[in-house]
Each structure stands twice: as structure tokens, then as C-alpha cells.
């Protein structure tokens, strides 16, 4: 299993290297079509944000058996170049190590509170879904056997411009499909994501897998046991 896990992580890193390279090679014209937009309809600065890359994948690097893959739209980096942190993995591993929150430095109390609230909502939401789908409600951290990926790897804002996301998914269709192939999940959960967002290769591949849809974003989580209609 250790060798398999190592091979899987190596494949993901090789894929991400290609992905980053494609980001860097995007012309300014192409970038304007794929980059996120803020509420005023503006893209982040091309020269500053073109190379931004938000890594994702295994939520526990020591577990290469992906039972559930969560797919979301894009990471909220507020239009600022990603520092390369896989935030959700840090959250999951903090829980696994018995910590309440991930270890991080904050510029002020408001930022700390916002981040910790997000950690709580994300973990409780995804862990509840994983527990339900894997029939392991007694497992405190079912996310150890899961993976997470965003469609848009550059990151974006608190709200997602779907037209930009669709264009990104079209341009990076082969890489998105390849990441799912590498992870080989048993089940997939689309987090407030429609299959229509994906381009042909990815959509065709996903249609052959066991797919569930969660109608809300993890940051809008409510008690799953009381609102099971959110998961279809």
C-alpha cells in the first residue's frame, strides 16, 4: 500500500507540474476567458495571478485508497496568488492529530475567527457526507479515506463566475479528467457543482461513476441528518 500511495502522489505531482506549466503559458487573451472575476466583473492582474495554483488531492497523503472524491468549483483566495497551501488537508490532518484547528499565523483576530469558522463548517460538512456514504457514522474522521479537488486550480473569490469556470473547465478538460483517473474514487460528490460545468472528456468519464450531488457549498453547511435532501 505504501508503494501504491507513493506512486499515486507522484502521479498527482507530475500532473500538477504540467498544469502549472499550462497556466504559465496562457496568453493574456486566453487568461481573460478562464480567470475568475470579482463582483465588478474584473480579472485579477494577469502578470500577478496567471501562475497562481491551488494544490489539492488526497486528504491524507498516507492513504492512497480514495473512497470518496469531493469536487468543488474553486478555492477562495480573494483574487490573490495562492501560497501553495492545501488548506483542507491541513484541516483534516489537524483533526487526525487531535487538534481543534490547523496551525496557522493570522494578521488579526477577525481573520483567525473567519478561518476557524470555515474549518469547522468544511470539516463537519464533508465528514458527515463521507460518514453517510461509507456507512461509518462512528468514525470521527472519515475524510482520511477521501480526496478533494477544485475544477479551477488558480483559485478565485467568495462567489464563482460560472461562465469563466466553464471556459476554464473546457481549456483544462484533459487535465481535470486525468486527475480523477489518477485518484480512482469509488464515489464522487459534486459540491454545488453541476455536471454541465464540465467539458466533454471529464463529463463522459464522470457519467460512468457513482455520483452524488450536495446542493450547498460546504461553507453553507447545516446539519446533514436534519437536511438529508441536500445530498442526492
Amino acid at each position: 500500500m505504501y508503494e501504491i500511495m507513493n506512486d499515486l502522489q507522484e502521479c498527482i505531482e507530475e500532473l500538477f507540474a504540467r498544469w502549472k506549466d499550462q497556466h504559465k503559458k496562457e496568453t493574456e487573451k486566453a487568461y481573460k476567458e478562464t480567470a475568475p472575476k470579482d463582483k465588478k466583473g474584473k480579472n485579477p492582474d494577469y502578470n500577478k495571478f496567471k501562475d497562481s495554483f491551488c494544490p489539492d488531492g488526497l486528504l491524507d497523503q498516507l492513504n492512497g485508497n480514495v473512497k470518496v472524491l469531493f469536487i468543488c468549483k474553486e478555492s477562495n483566495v480573494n483574487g490573490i496568488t495562492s501560497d501553495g497551501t492545501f488548506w483542507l488537508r491541513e484541516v483534516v490532518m489537524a483533526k487526525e492529530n487531535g487538534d481543534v484547528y490547523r496551525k496557522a499565523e493570522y494578521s488579526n483576530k477577525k481573520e483567525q475567527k473567519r478561518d476557524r469558522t470555515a474549518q469547522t463548517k468544511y470539516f463537519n460538512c464533508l465528514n458527515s457526507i463521507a460518514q453517510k456514504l461509507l456507512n461509518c457514522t462512528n468514525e470521527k474522521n472519515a475524510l482520511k479515506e477521501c480526496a478533494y479537488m477544485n475544477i479551477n486550480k488558480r483559485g478565485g473569490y467568495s462567489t464563482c463566475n460560472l461562465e469563466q469556470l466553464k471556459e476554464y473547465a473546457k481549456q483544462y478538460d484533459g487535465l481535470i479528467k486525468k486527475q480523477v483517473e489518477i485518484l480512482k474514487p469509488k464515489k464522487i460528490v459534486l459540491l454545488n457543482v453541476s455536471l454541465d460545468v464540465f467539458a466533454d472528456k471529464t463529463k463522459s468519464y464522470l457519467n460512468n461513476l457513482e455520483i452524488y450531488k450536495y446542493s450547498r457549498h460546504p461553507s453553507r453547511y447545516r446539519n446533514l441528518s436534519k437536511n438529508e435532501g441536500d445530498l442526492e
Side-chain angles (χ1 to χ4, degrees), residues 8 11-16 18-19 22 69 149 153 172-185 201-203 205-206:
L8 189 152
C11 287
I12 291 176
E13 289 174 3
E14 289 176 357
L15 176 70
F16 285 176
R18 289 166 49 200
W19 212 315
Q22 238 177 273
L69 170 62
M149 66 177 283
K153 292 289 193 289
Y172 291 86
D173 187 21
L175 297 177
I176 294 169
K177 173 178 175 284
K178 186 63 178 177
Q179 185 176 5
V180 182
E181 286 180 325
I182 291 171
L183 292 171
K184 295 181 182 177
K201 291 179 183 177
T202 306
K203 189 185 297 185
Y205 186 81
L206 292 177

Side-chain angles (χ1 to χ4, degrees), residues 39-86:
K39 292 180 180 179
K40 295 181 180 179
K42 294 183 178 180
N43 302 122
D45 182 85
Y46 170 74
N47 292 313
K48 293 180 180 179
F49 197 70
K50 179 184 65 170
D51 295 350
S52 181
F53 191 88
C54 302
D56 49 36
L58 299 172
L59 289 174
D60 181 351
Q61 284 183 298
L62 297 180
N63 192 334
N65 181 22
V66 180
K67 293 183 177 178
V68 179
L69 170 62
F70 295 94
I71 300 180
C72 205
K73 297 172 184 173
E74 59 191 26
S75 181
N76 177 17
V77 295
N78 200 29
I80 299 172
T81 301
S82 168
D83 63 2
T85 298
F86 184 7

Side-chain angles (χ1 to χ4, degrees), residues 32 45 57 79-80 82 104 125 134 148 154 161 201 230:
K32 288 180 178 178
D45 182 85
I80 299 172
S82 168
C125 175
L134 301 179
Y148 181 94
R154 276 198 177 101
N161 183 301
K201 291 179 183 177
D230 287 336

Side-chain angles (χ1 to χ4, degrees), residues 199-215:
D200 295 341
K201 291 179 183 177
T202 306
K203 189 185 297 185
S204 177
Y205 186 81
L206 292 177
N207 276 328
N208 295 316
L209 300 178
E210 187 176 337
I211 294 180
Y212 298 84
K213 297 178 182 178
Y214 183 67
S215 61

Side-chain angles (χ1 to χ4, degrees), residues 2 5 8 17 19 24 52 55 61 74 87 89 95 99 105 109 119 131 145 154 161 193 197 223-225 227:
Y2 183 76
M5 179 277 297
L8 189 152
W19 212 315
K24 292 178 181 178
S52 181
Q61 284 183 298
E74 59 191 26
W87 179 84
R89 180 188 288 155
K95 297 291 185 182
D99 298 322
E105 294 182 3
K109 290 288 186 181
Q119 289 182 53
Q131 287 175 331
E145 299 178 288
R154 276 198 177 101
N161 183 301
V193 174
V197 168
N223 191 314
L224 188 64
S225 63
N227 302 279

Side-chain angles (χ1 to χ4, degrees), residues 187-206:
K187 305 172 191 287
I188 283 180
V189 178
L190 300 177
L191 298 168
N192 197 26
V193 174
S194 169
L195 269 174
D196 292 337
V197 168
F198 298 100
D200 295 341
K201 291 179 183 177
T202 306
K203 189 185 297 185
S204 177
Y205 186 81
L206 292 177

Side-chain angles (χ1 to χ4, degrees), residues 14 23 37 56 100 102 129 132 174 215-216 220 227:
E14 289 176 357
H23 275 187
K37 287 184 176 181
D56 49 36
V100 179
R102 73 186 183 106
I129 294 173
K132 180 178 177 60
S215 61
R216 301 165 68 85
R220 301 287 185 266
N227 302 279

